[in-house]
Amino acid sequence: MGTGSTGFSAAGVRRLHDVLQRHVDSGKVPGVVALVSRGGETHVEAIGTMRHDGGADVRRDTIFRMASTSKPLSIAGAMVLLDECRLRLDDSVEQWLPELADRQVLKRIDGPVDDTEPARRQITVRDVLTSTFGLGMDMTVIGTPIMGAIFEQGLTPNLPEPMPEPDEWMRRLGTLPLMHQPGEQWQYQLSSDLVGVLVARVTGQSFESFLRERIFEPLGMKDTGFHVPEDKIDRLPDLYAPDPQTGEFLVWDEAKGGRWSKPPAFPGGGGGLVSTADDYQAYFQMLLNGGMHGNERILSRAVVELMTTNRLTPEQTAARTDLARDNVHISFGQGQHGGWGFGMAVRTYRGDYAPVGQFGWDGGSGTSTYADPANQLTGILLTQVGASAPNSIHFMHDFWTTLYQAIDD
């Protein structure tokens, strides 16, 4: 890769390689594909193997489970609908999601699920897009009746049983009260899956077919979807969830015959995508380009600015900050960006090497994807080691630190 024109120093790129190599050599992360891009030039590292006990090498086109890095990509389906005035931010969602009409809201977050009061207003499109519609995964209240009910209903991924098909998922969601009043508090995960149902119902297409038609195919994202076809399955590594105590490599999902080997009942916008480094680079570069891919407009500049800048009030940000800063024993320090746009984190204060305005997200399967408008930079880090142990998260921290110190202009 040429340096100078890109603003990466040759020494910085070597150090990036050395840091990635060191993590793989530690034996705690079998393989990594990392892509960094700046100033129109791209540098890719593919180091290590598909399996923890050896076997084939990872390659630039290795397909990874994106987990929560699905969120910044899957949200684009709703952005297309905003641009086309098929959704409006402050319309009630009940015309498409009648299961969410006339909500009840818990009086106390730790109270019984039937101790409720009526919602003060209807849930809007904006509430769903900003993850403030009133229900979500809140790691600070694990053990409460409402969190137990969310798990019992099978509303989240990563449980032993896969999520049911969208209409049944909505039916179950509709049996629960909200945890907070609509628009009041930012909450994780459920809204990203709800967006997929909303897009499918507005368009009359499956969520995947709409994303494929409007986002994946125009961007040339040929390896992105909600499952890996049989003719590509050899490019998907097993996903490991190391034992937190011993570090032993436990297989959480096998490639052949695993969850991603066939189309899912529920195409989860919150964590269901598989992809490659180059596919994700195409998407994040389009966002950096204000919605343009080459000469083709994918999204309007206005909607890209809306989704990639902070949408939360100070009160909503406080809850998000508590989750990130006060639960670092769960997140291993990731997630401390301050803000949230649509489907992704937005950095609102400088807490580490990355500047204010950087946007993207991380995945519990060992993936990290961000773009940085100030430096016109994208970075994609993909591994096959889940966040049950901090190894893949430490890898992320070191990747971003090393990437930023390689900027030289």
Side-chain angles (χ1 to χ4, degrees):
M1 166 177 137
T3 53
S5 64
T6 62
F8 289 126
S9 70
V13 170
R14 281 197 303 274
R15 189 177 299 154
L16 177 66
H17 168 83
D18 290 346
V19 165
L20 300 179
Q21 186 73 54
R22 192 169 74 225
H23 275 277
V24 173
D25 289 347
S26 76
K28 292 178 177 173
V29 178
V32 61
V33 177
L35 182 153
V36 299
S37 182
R38 188 168 187 239
E41 290 197 39
T42 298
H43 179 76
V44 178
E45 296 277 356
I47 302 172
T49 53
M50 299 277 281
R51 298 172 53 87
H52 82 90
D53 50 4
D57 290 340
V58 294
R59 305 189 319 223
R60 181 169 180 160
D61 68 350
T62 295
I63 296 170
F64 290 88
R65 298 163 192 78
M66 301 307 290
S68 286
T69 51
S70 303
K71 293 176 170 71
L73 175 50
S74 61
I75 196 73
M79 300 302 102
V80 170
L81 298 180
L82 287 179
D83 271 346
E84 295 180 350
C85 301
R86 294 160 80 181
L87 283 175
R88 297 183 201 92
L89 286 171
D90 294 302
D91 279 358
S92 164
V93 296
E94 66 179 64
Q95 57 182 304
W96 303 288
L97 307 173
E99 298 91 341
L100 296 183
D102 304 321
R103 294 289 78 200
Q104 291 289 308
V105 183
L106 288 179
K107 289 181 180 174
R108 289 179 34 176
I109 192 71
D110 57 353
V113 292
D114 57 359
D115 185 18
T116 62
E117 58 192 6
R120 290 195 284 269
R121 63 165 174 79
Q122 299 293 342
I123 295 168
T124 65
V125 172
R126 187 188 300 270
D127 298 331
V128 174
L129 297 183
T130 53
S131 299
T132 60
F133 83 96
L135 268 173
M137 298 298 298
D138 187 341
M139 299 308 170
T140 64
V141 295
I142 292 286
T144 55
I146 186 64
M147 284 298 292
I150 288 171
F151 290 131
E152 283 160 23
Q153 292 286 355
L155 295 175
T156 69
N158 306 334
L159 299 175
E161 286 297 309
M163 286 155 63
E165 52 82 29
D167 288 349
E168 171 62 14
W169 187 85
M170 284 303 307
R171 187 195 67 76
R172 295 183 193 180
L173 190 70
T175 66
L176 300 179
L178 302 181
M179 300 159 86
H180 300 280
Q181 289 287 342
E184 190 174 77
Q185 186 155 327
W186 180 88
Q187 290 182 288
Y188 194 52
Q189 180 62 36
L190 291 184
S191 56
S192 296
D193 287 327
L194 188 58
V195 166
V197 182
L198 179 62
V199 168
R201 289 190 177 177
V202 171
T203 61
Q205 289 176 253
S206 77
F207 186 39
E208 178 162 28
S209 70
F210 186 73
L211 284 176
R212 189 164 302 291
E213 181 186 308
R214 303 304 299 273
I215 304 295
F216 302 164
E217 286 180 356
L219 289 173
M221 299 175 69
K222 60 187 186 296
D223 292 320
T224 302
F226 289 101
H227 84 288
V228 182
E230 177 64 33
D231 61 344
K232 296 182 181 179
I233 201 79
D234 61 325
R235 289 163 53 196
L236 179 73
D238 290 348
L239 175 62
Y240 297 104
D243 182 293
Q245 270 67 54
T246 66
E248 178 193 354
F249 279 98
L250 307 174
V251 176
W252 189 83
D253 183 63
E254 293 182 2
K256 291 185 169 63
R259 289 194 179 195
W260 278 267
S261 64
K262 54 189 181 297
F266 190 102
L273 289 174
V274 292
S275 193
T276 62
D278 281 289
D279 279 11
Y280 254 63
Q281 155 65 7
Y283 177 70
F284 275 90
Q285 189 63 51
M286 178 272 290
L287 296 182
L288 274 189
N289 295 346
M292 293 295 289
H293 176 69
N295 296 319
E296 185 177 1
R297 180 159 289 287
I298 309 295
L299 298 171
S300 70
R301 178 176 292 279
V303 90
V304 170
E305 290 171 355
L306 195 58
M307 67 194 283
T308 61
T309 53
N310 181 42
R311 303 267 63 82
L312 301 185
T313 66
E315 293 78 16
Q316 292 164 345
T317 303
R320 173 156 152 56
T321 302
D322 285 347
L323 185 64
R325 189 193 57 211
D326 298 339
N327 286 272
V328 291
H329 63 291
I330 296 172
S331 67
F332 305 116
Q334 281 297 90
Q336 301 182 69
H337 315 80
W340 192 262
F342 292 155
M344 66 189 88
V346 179
R347 210 169 276 279
T348 55
Y349 67 94
R350 186 138 198 178
D352 57 28
Y353 281 54
V356 169
Q358 184 207 45
F359 57 82
W361 197 226
D362 310 295
S365 58
T367 56
S368 187
T369 59
Y370 289 86
D372 166 5
N375 291 294
Q376 284 297 299
L377 170 82
T378 58
I380 315 289
L381 181 79
L382 306 176
T383 78
Q384 74 274 59
V385 177
S388 57
N391 306 320
S392 59
I393 311 288
H394 289 165
F395 206 156
M396 293 174 197
H397 287 299
D398 294 351
F399 169 71
W400 291 106
T401 297
T402 317
L403 177 52
Y404 275 105
Q405 60 79 38
I407 293 174
D408 187 21
D409 55 9

